[in-house]
Amino acid sequence: MVVGVIAGLLVAALALPAVGGMGITARNVANGFLEMPSQLETPPPPQRSTIYDSEGGVIAEIFDQNRELVDIDDISPLMVDAILAIEDSRFYDHGGLDVSGTLRAAIRTMGGNTEGASSITQQYVKNVQIEAATSQDELDHAREETISRKIRELRYAVALEQRMSKDEILEGYLNIAYFSDGAYGVESAAQHFFQVSADELELHQAATIAGLVRYPYLYNPRFFPEQTEERRNVVLDRMVATDAITEAEAAEAKEYELDLDLATPPNGCVPSDQPFFCDYVVQEIEQDERFGPNETERARWLRTAGLEIHTTLDPQTQEAGQDAVDKWVPRENDSRKVAAQAVIEPGTGHILGMMQSRNYGPDESRLGETSINFTTDSDRGGSSGFQAGSTFKAITLATALDEGMPFSTSFNSPSSTTVSGQTACNGGRLENWSLSNAGDSNAGNHNMISGTKASSNTYFAQLQARAGLCDTMEMAEKLGLKRADGTLFTENANSLANSSFTLGSEEVSPLRVANAYATFASGGMYCEPQAITQIEDRQSGTTIDIEPECDRAIDEDVADGTSYLLSQTFNGGTAASLSIGRPAAGKTGTTDGSAAAWFAGFTPQMSSAVFVGDPRGPQQHPLRNVTIGDRYFPVVYGATIPGPIWQETMRGAHAGVDTEQLASAPGRFGSTSEPRAPRNDDDGDEEASPASDDGGVPNVVGMSEADAVSALEGAGYSVNVSGTALRSSESEGSVAAVNPDPGSRLPEGATVNVFLSDGSGRESADGGPGGVDWHPVLPAGPLNGRDGRN
């Protein structure tokens, strides 16, 4: 009843000058006032959202308004006294309406001038309506300088005082108010201007901040320090007048200079140390319908709801991978080549890391800068993908095993061949396909094991033909692979007629390749790539838990058989130099003309795929005769740069992680022996005959260069002497190591790479130059077993 009387008298006072001539009485106006809508929703104001890694470290903060909410008990009493003194000294005495102040503001409004609402409750109401606006019309309505707006605010203020305590209103006001220079709320203002929390504000600091709220642009301390200091002193005088402080305290506070210590929290992914993963998380939220009805609403939710976004990123893995990527392909290399890597956890799909050799930024013309995440698909901020080379041979292996073919499935695999009779998924007959290896070093009779180790194009072309091109494409899709532009292979007209599918001639992203290999590592369980595990919505008080989305994609034996075959590449195959000191499986990949190079591999705990190429167009800017950083490469293969990046990443990521074994070769696929290479006096293809030395590659370690070359050539091999000396206990200039290893049986004419010692004496207790897990870094040139799509 008291509120009604006060409201009636006030509204009469406001309205009578304008409507008195019309005979409208104060009581009628009061009745209309009380019948106005009075329920004002007061949701928390917009605040910062934070993205965390899996250990709780901050990846990035994202916001439209730099605001951090605090309780009234966490605000300095001096700050409370200062804001009350300058904005509403009778706040704890009135019922939401400071009659004299509101009347004064209304009269000035009718006279053509404007003055802010005179009570903190009314200011809070106005700010709530502004923040709640979802359109320009609503925003204009909340800000209009009219009597009707002031009457609306008065009605809401009266009702608000009935359901909220004074402390609740004051807390809401101090959290929602704008304090200039991008600082919303008193906590952000304290941190921004003085780098202290709101509960640590001293008198001169509190008075400075309180003075900003009335005219935050006019009193911006960054640009108008003199006006700011004058306003601060006005606040101090008001605090004396309200008995909040003494004159002596005010005088002492006025002696302080502004002493600003400006600090603005980084906003968005650009300043993040993990910018491309950050961008992926943002894309996940903005593109996923679970988080809102449309992209605009989801983006608003992300930037205003104060989300606590917990992710899968593993700091140890991310650091190891980024260090390796930057080491091998520096960000600002003049060749403009890029390395991109994604690491996935088998069995969950958790993205443990995303790394690439670029700084994150919008200026694509600037050397070493891009906003494109080359690790992922185009719908998540990525590119249209890159041909994956022989990493796709793993798909053909899985298809063949799934169809019941044994490891012993053999083909005569010469240096070149023609495959005919293939059928496309649409039923059409494909043209004959002629292909070759880069050389004849891996020619011969191959089964799945030797063909995988040698990465023989001609073997895999025939294996795909037997398994079926369409079946191979469907297997790829079961493993989550698709083109980086979002289309499925079986729905893309060009893919349907792609005879060379097994050689990786489809454009895909490292994330998809890593996840496909993770399916092998997990025993055939496919999991959708996942970057977010939980989102805490502080605005609504709700929590969204996101569980892995996993289903069986392929039979466990098929996955384990494929893993076994891929593990053999480390045993005298194209990945022989890339051991990480624990069981692993993997595959090199180099596209035609060395346009792009890849390595994909896994342990039971992690799966990774590395791409190296030129985003301007790999075919137009191939990896030949290229200087990357301070290294010159005649040609880059999968084991030249991508392999060492993978190797160093995996070693660092697995530090302190228990060693787990890969699954054994399933017995259903038969013998794990390689085929016996035919001798010259056999009926086999002479081109595939072995070297004349029945003992395989001679052990020439410790010999002089000349003697080693003579022995190897005498055994029927070609020799490549690396120009890079290795740290070794062997005498300087003598042979430190060979690749493939001594004893390896190779076709006649195959290339053996010789590495000379620098004499620095790195011998380990295990006897080798670097221990049992040591392998030389391969030269940037053709190696045995290398082909155009190794």
Side-chain angles (χ1 to χ4, degrees), residues 327-330 333 335 337 612 623 626-633 636 641:
K327 170 184 173 181
W328 286 92
V329 185
N333 67 87
S335 69
K337 301 301 183 277
V612 175
L623 296 168
V626 61
T627 298
I628 302 176
D630 58 358
R631 301 182 182 94
Y632 169 75
F633 299 92
V636 175
I641 296 179

Side-chain angles (χ1 to χ4, degrees), residues 336-384:
R336 296 185 179 272
K337 301 301 183 277
V338 67
Q341 176 176 210
V343 185
I344 297 279
E345 182 178 57
T348 64
H350 287 176
I351 301 171
L352 303 179
M354 282 182 164
M355 317 88 179
Q356 67 183 42
S357 56
R358 286 289 191 272
N359 297 314
Y360 185 84
D363 189 353
E364 301 290 338
S365 66
R366 181 178 298 174
L367 183 64
E369 182 172 311
T370 186
S371 59
I372 300 172
N373 184 352
F374 295 114
T375 68
T376 189
D377 294 347
S378 59
D379 68 344
R380 291 297 185 268
S383 71
S384 57

